[in-house]
Amino acid sequence: MAIIKTNSLTKYYGKIRGIENVDLEVREGEIFGFIGPNGAGKSTTIRTLLNFIFPTSGSATVFGLDIVRHSREIRARVGYLPGEVNYYDDMTAGELLAYSARFYNKDCSKRIRELTELFDLDPEKKIHSLSLGNKKKVAIIQCLLHEPRLLILDEPTSGLDPLMQRHFFEILQEENKKGVTVFFSSHVLSEVERLCHRVAIIKNGRILRLEEMDRLRGSQFLKVTLTMKDPASAPPDVPGIIHSEQDNGTWRLLFNGDINQLVQELARYELLRLHLEEPPLEEVFMHYYEKEESR
């Protein structure tokens, strides 16, 4: 079942493109990564899904409900964490969470106590006295307190220290085991690689690729570093070399082809050093960004 489904979803700000023809399907019970550089259209997509802004064209559903006609019902069932949070400074953290809980037709007091303990948050402190990291903790608790079946997280780890980030990821994985679907938007590739089952790559408002994370990891990409005896030697010429750069006789290649052909080609050279390794996922993503730019 698709929890989120978009069909050519488009948002323009006047003549400026926010997103264009976005087609996504987020399955029930998965952690779905939405990755792209800042300004790629991630927040615009999320705000359109939650009907904070109206689409220019196209359509989308959340829980099978139209995002425009049924926006209030959708928001009641979603836990949303925005990239930036602003609160009533004179409230305490506990007062703010209790106030937020009153928007839902259920008693959230026990859940709030559990979460404040999990995140080591002092509910008696005034919002204005909290650090950026503690304000982010308040926002995380706020999106979890009503036990939603869908979490929509926009750059959720900004402001969290590394230890709290790890704790937050553990909580997300626990929620996912309970059947909660997570839509995880980030520009930090290592976060998406660690958590997500599938990922969509977005740039300049357009989806470049949608892929299973396991398939991306297993796409037979190789990072090849070789140093030639003759620094003036031309780079290897074999199908599958999708990026190359040279620095003082050392070539660095991103390779996605037949390893046997590569080895046969390298045998023609007099090498001083050769190193093959699986590239970090970030380099694979950058390949897709650069490929799109070249078009």
Side-chain angles (χ1 to χ4, degrees):
M1 173 183 174
I3 295 294
I4 297 173
K5 187 175 178 60
T6 70
N7 180 29
S8 298
L9 191 64
T10 298
K11 174 62 182 179
Y12 269 78
Y13 302 95
K15 294 183 178 181
I16 300 172
R17 180 178 64 214
I19 54 173
E20 187 172 62
N21 295 326
V22 169
D23 290 316
L24 291 175
E25 186 171 307
V26 179
R27 303 166 187 158
E28 184 176 12
E30 73 175 333
I31 303 179
F32 186 92
F34 196 45
I35 189 76
N38 290 327
K42 301 187 300 297
S43 294
T44 295
T45 302
I46 287 172
R47 290 169 185 159
T48 306
L49 287 173
L50 294 172
N51 201 40
F52 296 144
I53 54 178
F54 288 96
T56 303
S57 62
S59 62
T61 59
V62 179
F63 300 113
L65 303 171
D66 182 83
I67 58 169
V68 176
R69 296 197 304 272
H70 305 288
S71 60
R72 289 183 65 182
E73 186 176 348
I74 290 169
R75 290 178 200 166
R77 298 168 63 182
V78 170
Y80 168 55
L81 178 62
E84 297 181 4
V85 291
N86 295 289
Y87 290 130
Y88 300 110
D89 283 350
D90 288 336
M91 279 185 165
T92 66
E95 288 170 342
L96 178 66
L97 293 171
Y99 170 72
S100 300
R102 290 200 291 271
F103 286 93
Y104 305 102
N105 187 28
K106 63 188 301 184
D107 182 5
C108 302
S109 54
K110 181 182 177 183
R111 179 69 167 162
I112 291 173
R113 287 195 300 271
E114 292 172 348
L115 290 169
T116 52
E117 289 177 10
L118 278 172
F119 282 96
D120 192 25
L121 178 72
D122 184 353
E124 300 303 318
K125 283 194 172 182
K126 294 276 190 179
I127 295 293
H128 68 78
S129 71
L130 296 178
S131 65
L132 176 61
N134 280 321
K135 286 181 180 177
K136 198 57 176 273
K137 290 180 188 179
V138 174
I140 292 170
I141 295 170
Q142 190 177 34
C143 85
L144 291 170
L145 60 84
H146 57 299
E147 300 180 278
R149 303 307 296 167
L150 170 63
L151 296 174
I152 296 181
L153 312 175
D154 192 0
E155 302 285 355
T157 61
S158 61
L160 296 179
D161 62 62
L163 184 62
M164 189 51 64
Q165 285 183 22
R166 185 174 68 181
H167 190 44
F168 175 55
F169 293 153
E170 290 170 352
I171 290 171
L172 285 184
Q173 288 168 330
E174 289 172 7
E175 291 297 305
N176 182 243
K177 287 176 183 176
K178 299 175 187 175
V180 175
T181 304
V182 181
F183 186 88
F184 189 98
S185 170
S186 178
H187 70 279
V188 183
L189 299 170
S190 59
E191 295 179 350
V192 172
E193 183 177 12
R194 174 178 175 178
L195 281 174
C196 298
H197 305 135
R198 289 192 304 143
V199 61
I201 307 169
I202 185 170
K203 186 178 182 186
N204 295 331
R206 295 191 178 103
I207 301 296
L208 304 186
R209 188 177 179 92
L210 197 155
E211 190 64 273
E212 301 281 344
M213 187 60 72
D214 287 342
R215 185 175 297 177
L216 269 178
R217 291 193 188 100
S219 292
Q220 303 303 315
F221 282 91
L222 279 176
K223 183 178 180 181
V224 183
T225 304
L226 53 98
T227 303
M228 302 178 183
K229 189 172 183 179
D230 180 3
S233 296
D237 183 16
V238 62
I241 295 176
I242 55 181
H243 178 75
S244 63
E245 60 183 23
Q246 193 253 15
D247 180 23
N248 195 28
T250 296
W251 284 93
R252 296 178 179 84
L253 315 173
L254 184 62
F255 180 74
N256 184 216
D258 185 340
I259 187 66
N260 296 293
Q261 288 185 353
L262 177 64
V263 170
Q264 290 171 8
E265 172 69 11
L266 293 179
R268 301 193 306 106
Y269 294 84
E270 192 169 358
L271 302 178
L272 297 176
R273 190 175 296 108
L274 173 64
H275 184 63
L276 305 178
E277 62 180 324
E278 184 179 339
L281 196 58
E282 181 168 359
E283 290 193 28
V284 178
F285 279 115
M286 289 308 298
H287 158 62
Y288 293 119
Y289 296 152
E290 291 167 0
K291 185 177 179 181
E292 174 68 14
E293 285 177 350
S294 69
R295 290 176 180 174

